[in-house]
Amino acid sequence: MKRLYKYIIKGGKPLHGEVEISGAKNAAVAIIPAAMLVDGVCRIENLPQISDTEKLLRILELMGAQVRYVSPGTVDIDCSGVSLSDRIFRYTRSIRASYYLIGSMLGRFGKARTTMPGGCNFGVRPIDQHIKGMKALGATIDIGKGLIQAESPEGRLKGARIYLDKVSVGATINVMIAAATAKGMTIIENVAREPHIVDLANFLNSMGADIRGAGTDVIKVRGVERLHGGSYSLIPDQIEAGTFMTAVAAAGGEVRLNNVIPRHLECISAKLREMGVAITEGDDYIVVRRDCPLERTNVKTLPYPGFPTDMQPQICVVLCLAAGTSVITEGVWDNRYQYVNELKKMGAEITVSGKTAVVEGVRSLMGAPVAARDLRAGAAMVVAGLCAEGTTVIEDVIYIERGYQNIVGKLRALGADIAAVSEPDEPGRMHQSSQESAC
Ligand code: UD1
């Protein structure tokens, strides 16, 4: 019998101590598929141990790759024996990042066969810019009955000039992966600049690719015949770090976050400072302290270096505790406020209209039974539970564990009263793992 997990949090305890931030999930989910281009053994270090990375490694194994777990967070991948396989579909359907297989399969085999990706429900999540990029590189694409089939008639993609109509993290990454081994030069304009895009470029370059401009608006990829083996250590997770920062801001206390790149956190630090949270930065750590009342502010989410949409639910919890009225404007997704109804169960006063949420500060949140609606919405419920008076029970935490390595253990080490409990499944209940669930 399957078991369901819940988190039980007794809130109101300030957080104190140190926490190690894991490797970046969104870098990992791009780099694992990109490893398919590598001829030889590719060692990835600082890999977060979360269900999304496990699924992607499983996909590579089902395609014939040798995957060896060297130590926690370090894995050797040898893709010399890979081939296309429909056995991967049960995994590709459940994770968003499976769309990177289109680029990596086209780069490796000159053809691709996968399913439409899964995805947290933030409204419509098109992949037209990915498709536009692959077509520009010479691929023919056929989408139907949930399958994506692509083929480069000449067996190898051809470099091209591509302008993305929308700043898209996924399309930038996918086209960059596909172009790495295409023939000739690819210029991708109006690209996203997130830290994990730079990390993917650094990974590919360390394996022999020739990619310049990642982190700016234009990326130039000079295609190489093949990539060689090597080892690469992932950057720390910006959003995991940001989530711990909001947890301290909401629950109070003082925590040092180790293994971070403070520059990547500036967009989050700036907002928390406006609210009265003290943040000091070292080379690879930051210290977050909150010991006074929180002040209101406004937040607009934007592509990097703007405030990350993946931090919007978590900062909303902090705004709930600030004196006065704050306004959140979602600038990336159409529908990212599904967690608001859960927060209202805890006493939050939030009014949503389209892409705007107006948050009236309350004296405190109250513990309640709530559900994790998606990965970051679930993280917000954890932050809310930590600062709330009384007990919060969070259901569907499988979403949270897709993106946060050992979140319960890390919070307990900081003094939080949080436990993961399991209970037998109720008959007839649908499992999240079988739903589309990835961000
Ligand atoms: C990635 C992240 C996700 C984050 C998002 C924005 C991963 C696995 N997921 O998602 O957590 O919330 O970036 O930072 O890294 N769009 C199009 N056409 C496309 C692609 C995107 O119109 O072909 C639109 C989307 O609807 C959205 C916007 O562009 O409004 C940004 O999407 P995108 O940056 O592509 O998000 P993902 O890569 O899916």
Side-chain angles (χ1 to χ4, degrees):
M1 178 182 282
K2 289 195 176 167
R3 300 184 79 80
L4 294 175
Y5 290 87
K6 294 177 182 178
Y7 293 166
I8 298 180
I9 307 175
K10 292 189 180 130
K13 287 189 156 196
L15 304 175
H16 287 280
E18 297 192 16
V19 61
E20 294 296 319
I21 299 303
S22 301
K25 163 190 168 283
N26 285 348
V29 299
I31 284 173
I32 295 170
M36 205 187 293
L37 300 177
V38 174
D39 222 6
V41 178
C42 158
R43 172 164 292 188
I44 305 175
E45 295 165 352
N46 203 29
L47 190 70
Q49 292 161 272
I50 50 177
S51 56
D52 267 17
T53 54
E54 282 161 12
K55 281 184 187 174
L56 282 161
L57 289 169
R58 186 73 193 122
I59 286 171
L60 290 188
E61 280 182 328
L62 287 170
M63 293 177 67
Q66 301 289 323
V67 175
R68 193 169 71 88
Y69 293 85
V70 180
S71 59
T74 301
V75 69
D76 280 351
I77 304 173
D78 182 352
C79 284
S80 29
V82 288
S83 57
L84 296 183
S85 166
D86 294 357
R87 292 168 68 208
I88 65 175
F89 292 172
R90 60 182 280 239
Y91 291 102
T92 54
R93 276 194 198 103
S94 74
I95 51 174
R96 181 75 186 160
S98 66
Y99 51 29
Y100 296 139
L101 293 167
I102 308 169
S104 59
M105 286 173 173
L106 274 170
R108 170 72 194 242
F109 309 111
K111 53 185 173 183
R113 189 170 150 83
T114 182
T115 63
M116 289 296 280
C120 291
N121 184 8
F122 308 149
V124 182
R125 299 192 71 175
I127 59 165
D128 57 300
Q129 298 304 305
H130 303 236
I131 301 302
K132 173 180 171 175
M134 301 306 156
K135 282 185 175 166
L137 294 172
T140 56
I141 313 259
D142 180 23
I143 301 180
K145 295 189 180 153
L147 282 187
I148 304 173
Q149 303 190 76
E151 184 148 14
S152 156
E154 295 172 30
R156 186 177 173 196
L157 297 172
K158 238 201 256 170
R161 197 172 189 115
I162 300 157
Y163 180 88
L164 298 179
D165 301 317
K166 186 101 191 194
V167 177
S168 158
V169 172
T172 303
I173 287 177
N174 222 347
V175 176
M176 204 161 63
I177 293 173
T181 54
K183 194 171 172 197
M185 177 72 106
T186 297
I187 300 175
I188 323 166
E189 293 176 280
N190 196 31
V191 295
R193 294 182 281 163
E194 267 65 6
H196 48 286
I197 289 172
V198 180
D199 208 37
L200 172 70
N202 288 340
F203 163 79
L204 290 167
N205 284 343
S206 74
M207 308 280 150
D210 184 354
I211 301 175
R212 291 164 205 208
T216 74
D217 290 344
V218 181
I219 294 178
K220 295 183 179 171
V221 186
R222 191 180 295 280
V224 295
E225 291 243 349
R226 55 172 57 91
L227 302 184
H228 54 70
S231 56
Y232 189 78
S233 183
L234 301 187
I235 53 165
D237 197 302
Q238 178 205 31
I239 306 299
E240 186 198 12
T243 301
F244 276 94
M245 291 166 77
T246 52
V248 181
E254 179 169 331
V255 172
R256 177 176 156 134
L257 279 68
N258 295 323
N259 184 34
V260 299
I261 299 178
R263 189 168 31 90
H264 294 168
L265 302 175
E266 269 164 18
C267 37
I268 303 162
S269 302
K271 278 294 147 192
L272 291 176
R273 283 192 179 115
E274 281 176 25
M275 299 179 75
V277 179
I279 297 172
T280 48
E281 296 171 357
D283 288 346
D284 62 353
Y285 69 89
I286 63 165
V287 179
V288 184
R289 194 182 77 249
R290 207 273 285 172
D291 50 17
C292 55
L294 292 161
E295 292 169 37
R296 62 151 301 280
T297 191
N298 297 331
V299 174
K300 175 160 189 177
T301 69
L302 288 168
Y304 189 81
F307 188 88
T309 175
D310 287 355
M311 281 300 303
Q312 187 250 93
Q314 302 91 311
I315 198 133
C316 180
V317 177
V318 188
L319 293 173
C320 284
L321 303 174
T325 306
S326 306
V327 178
I328 300 176
T329 310
E330 173 56 44
V332 178
W333 298 108
D334 290 338
N335 179 9
R336 202 160 190 178
Y337 290 119
Q338 293 178 58
Y339 66 91
V340 163
N341 281 340
E342 302 303 306
L343 276 186
K344 283 184 177 172
K345 294 178 191 165
M346 302 178 74
E349 292 184 13
I350 306 170
T351 312
V352 175
S353 170
K355 292 188 172 188
T356 303
V358 177
V359 184
E360 300 291 347
V362 294
R363 196 186 57 78
S364 65
L365 295 174
M366 311 300 291
V370 291
R373 294 283 170 211
D374 62 49
L375 168 57
R376 306 305 173 184
M381 292 307 125
V382 172
V383 174
L386 293 171
C387 65
E389 288 175 14
T391 302
T392 298
V393 178
I394 308 176
E395 290 209 336
D396 298 340
V397 298
I398 195 163
Y399 282 113
I400 303 171
E401 298 190 347
R402 284 190 28 244
Y404 290 87
Q405 177 177 333
N406 188 24
I407 188 169
V408 170
K410 288 182 182 184
L411 285 168
R412 284 174 74 89
L414 297 176
D417 189 340
I418 176 170
V421 295
S422 65
E423 58 185 37
D425 193 359
E426 297 157 28
R429 188 183 151 116
M430 182 139 142
H431 284 277
Q432 276 65 44
S433 54
S434 63
Q435 298 171 354
E436 292 187 342
S437 67
C439 287

